[in-house]
């Protein structure tokens, strides 16, 4: 049975939460070469701060007043803002239009973007922390289907490295990550300190 995007959002947050809870080295590098682990978690957490005001109909400049610097306990901060965002998604009317940086979009478009972002960053965090990289297969399938239909638009955003060539019969998770410039086939870089 096909899952609704709200359930997929819940699953993406569970995937990210499991990795956040297991992080031991917050300075470890991530597949997002501009960020270490702490910066990655901060990025995804701050994105959750935007959700309630944007779903409430605020323009970006108005919503920004609801985005605050995070404290040092990133695990607690993630769980706090993940919960607030999830609660906002649960009550937002399906007719809501959301003001984003590139225009005003239907709520489901924003929801799908959020599921995509948290899902991919869950893998980033797993790779950075040396954790299980397997993601919920239903989540991967839904995000892949949505992303594959927009591959040209994703490339045009400049938000990702060029797609990594992988075989058509590669596992779906590998193909999804390859679309965002991530090579999930490559082994994690060994820690030169041996730690």
């Amino acid at each position: 049975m096909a899952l609704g995007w709200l359930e997929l959002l819940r699953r993406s947050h569970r995937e990210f939460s499991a990795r956040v809870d297991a992080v031991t080295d917050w300075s470890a590098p991530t597949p997002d070469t501009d960020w270490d682990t702490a910066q990655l978690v901060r990025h995804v957490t701050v994105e959750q701060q935007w959700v309630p005001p944007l779903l409430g109909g605020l323009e970006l400049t108005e919503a920004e007043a609801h985005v605050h610097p995070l404290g040092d306990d990133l695990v607690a901060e993630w769980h706090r803002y993940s919960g607030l965002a999830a609660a906002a998604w649960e009550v937002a009317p399906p007719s809501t239009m959301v003001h984003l940086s590139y225009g005003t979009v239907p709520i489901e478009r924003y929801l799908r973007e959020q599921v995509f972002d948290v899902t991919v960053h869950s893998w980033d965090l797993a790779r950075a922390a040396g954790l299980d990289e397997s993601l919920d297969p239903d989540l991967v399938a839904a995000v892949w289907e949505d992303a594959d239909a927009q591959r040209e638009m994703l490339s045009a955003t400049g938000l990702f490295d060029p797609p990594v060539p992988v075989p058509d019969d590669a596992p779906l998770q590998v193909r999804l990550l390859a679309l965002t410039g991530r090579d999930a086939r490559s082994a994690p870089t060994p820690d030169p300190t041996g730690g």
Side-chain angles (χ1 to χ4, degrees):
M1 184 175 69
L3 297 171
W5 282 95
L6 269 178
E7 173 57 25
L8 292 167
L9 180 88
R10 296 182 199 108
R11 291 188 182 203
S12 71
H13 279 231
R14 285 199 294 269
E15 293 283 358
F16 198 78
S17 293
R19 275 81 178 183
V20 169
D21 289 343
V23 169
T24 57
D25 181 0
W26 291 95
S27 62
T30 75
D32 292 282
T33 54
D34 292 338
W35 295 332
D36 64 16
T37 298
Q39 290 166 324
L40 173 67
V41 173
R42 284 182 182 277
H43 162 74
V44 181
T45 304
V46 168
E47 286 296 309
Q48 305 317 306
Q49 289 191 354
W50 286 92
V51 171
L54 290 178
L55 293 185
L58 297 187
E59 300 274 355
L60 281 175
T61 52
E62 300 168 319
E64 191 170 14
H66 298 264
V67 178
H68 307 291
L70 300 177
D72 293 332
D73 186 346
L74 294 181
V75 176
E77 294 286 69
W78 160 253
H79 285 291
R80 175 186 178 193
Y81 290 109
S82 169
L84 291 171
W89 284 115
E90 294 288 347
V91 300
S95 59
T96 299
M97 297 297 289
V98 184
H99 303 288
L100 300 177
S101 59
Y102 59 85
T104 302
V105 302
I107 187 173
E108 186 171 308
R109 180 70 260 148
Y110 181 42
L111 176 57
R112 289 179 183 224
E113 288 179 9
Q114 283 292 305
V115 173
F116 175 95
D117 193 56
V118 177
T119 299
V120 171
H121 286 319
S122 294
W123 180 84
D124 289 335
L125 190 53
R127 171 60 59 98
L131 303 169
D132 179 11
E133 296 178 6
S134 302
L135 300 171
D136 181 301
D138 291 328
L139 183 58
V140 169
V143 173
W144 161 259
E145 184 176 351
D146 198 52
D148 186 44
Q150 304 177 76
R151 60 172 57 230
E152 290 185 11
M153 186 203 73
L154 289 174
S155 294
T157 65
L159 296 174
F160 306 105
D161 288 339
V164 175
V166 294
D168 290 342
D169 62 353
L172 199 56
Q173 180 172 309
V174 170
R175 284 186 279 155
L176 169 63
L177 293 163
L179 197 57
T180 69
R182 293 159 168 83
D183 191 347
R185 303 167 301 171
S186 62
T189 305
D191 183 342
T193 66

